[in-house]
Amino acid sequence: MRDTARLLVLGLVLILLSGSLIQTEQSRAAKPDWTMSIEHLLAEQEVELEQFTHTLQQAGDDLLADRIGQLRRAHMQELYNEAKALKAQTEEKLHELQADLNDAILQEQLKLMFVTLDEREQTARFKVIAQLQDQLASVRSDLEEELHEQLLELEAAYEERSQGEMALVRAEVERAMDDELAAFRLGLMQELEEEVAKLAPPSRSAMANR
């Protein structure tokens, strides 16, 4: 397949750059030599293109990995900071609620210790204390669950954002690689055209003008 493509390129070069399909006996005699020179140049360019493509791909992969690594580290740091802020807010809210409930529990305990209560009143105080303790445990559990959900939503939002930004970075790197490869191909084509112009024998019309 590669040899066929090279022969097609060579054929087009011969047609387009030799000036004419009709050549003199002198040019036909010289044709094998300069054709071989062009074939040799095409073979060299093919190797150069393969090497350049490999090097470019490796450089592109390295650059992409570096850019994505930087992006992920930045996102992880931002996620850590926001998660830390959420935890601090939850702990502050829990501390305030615990303080209020602990005060209420303490008041009921003081009544049991310093106020003369009959058995029914004592039972009622113990019941209130138990309810306050249950409420404290429920508040702690609710806040922890709320924090867990907030952290999951935060992680999902950052992952979605990270995927979008990585896609943009990948597209940018691939576009730069395509530009580099196109410029290299153009350079090879210009080199080929210049070499053909130097090697190709003159056409009959060109010789007639002399």
Side-chain angles (χ1 to χ4, degrees):
M1 183 67 179
R2 184 175 299 170
D3 291 338
T4 302
R6 188 169 61 186
L7 289 175
L8 288 174
V9 171
L10 179 60
L12 289 175
V13 169
L14 296 178
I15 293 172
L16 295 176
L17 299 180
S18 64
S20 173
L21 291 174
I22 304 174
Q23 301 187 2
T24 63
E25 292 296 324
Q26 180 182 358
S27 65
R28 279 198 295 268
K31 181 177 178 180
D33 292 336
W34 71 274
T35 299
M36 291 178 61
S37 296
I38 294 174
E39 285 181 339
H40 180 69
L41 177 59
L42 284 172
E44 289 181 345
Q45 287 190 342
E46 185 177 4
V47 173
E48 288 181 33
L49 182 59
E50 288 180 355
Q51 293 175 342
F52 181 81
T53 301
H54 177 75
T55 302
L56 181 64
Q57 185 64 52
Q58 185 62 53
D61 291 343
D62 292 343
L63 176 60
L64 182 60
D66 182 64
R67 293 280 299 277
I68 288 180
Q70 293 179 14
L71 192 63
R72 282 196 173 278
R73 287 191 292 273
H75 285 174
M76 289 297 294
Q77 185 61 51
E78 293 176 11
L79 177 60
Y80 171 80
N81 293 339
E82 291 201 32
K84 184 177 180 181
L86 277 176
K87 291 178 181 178
Q89 293 173 6
T90 300
E91 289 175 359
E92 183 178 358
K93 187 186 298 185
L94 178 61
H95 179 75
E96 293 175 354
L97 293 172
Q98 281 180 331
D100 293 339
L101 291 172
N102 284 331
D103 286 345
I105 291 172
L106 180 60
Q107 291 297 325
E108 296 300 324
Q109 291 173 337
L110 289 175
K111 290 177 182 179
L112 287 172
M113 294 175 60
F114 299 107
V115 177
T116 302
L117 302 172
D118 57 28
E119 184 176 347
R120 182 181 61 81
E121 290 173 331
Q122 288 180 353
T123 300
R125 297 278 74 78
F126 281 122
K127 184 177 181 179
V128 170
I129 291 173
Q131 290 175 343
L132 289 171
Q133 289 174 335
D134 289 343
Q135 184 178 353
L136 180 59
S138 177
V139 165
R140 183 183 294 108
S141 177
D142 290 344
L143 285 177
E144 289 176 352
E145 183 177 354
E146 180 182 350
L147 174 62
H148 180 67
E149 292 177 354
Q150 289 177 329
L151 290 176
L152 288 178
E153 292 175 359
L154 185 63
E155 289 176 4
Y158 265 94
E159 181 62 25
E160 182 179 359
R161 173 186 164 189
S162 180
Q163 291 296 329
E165 293 188 11
M166 284 192 294
L168 292 176
V169 169
R170 185 175 291 104
E172 180 183 345
V173 171
E174 290 177 353
R175 185 165 53 250
M177 291 172 61
D178 289 342
D179 291 344
E180 288 287 339
L181 185 57
F184 188 80
R185 287 179 182 275
L186 179 61
L188 291 179
M189 181 59 69
Q190 291 174 342
E191 178 186 356
L192 180 62
E193 290 177 354
E194 292 172 0
E195 192 66 20
V196 169
K198 290 188 292 185
L199 293 176
S203 66
R204 177 178 297 176
S205 60
M207 293 179 65
N209 290 335
R210 293 180 183 178

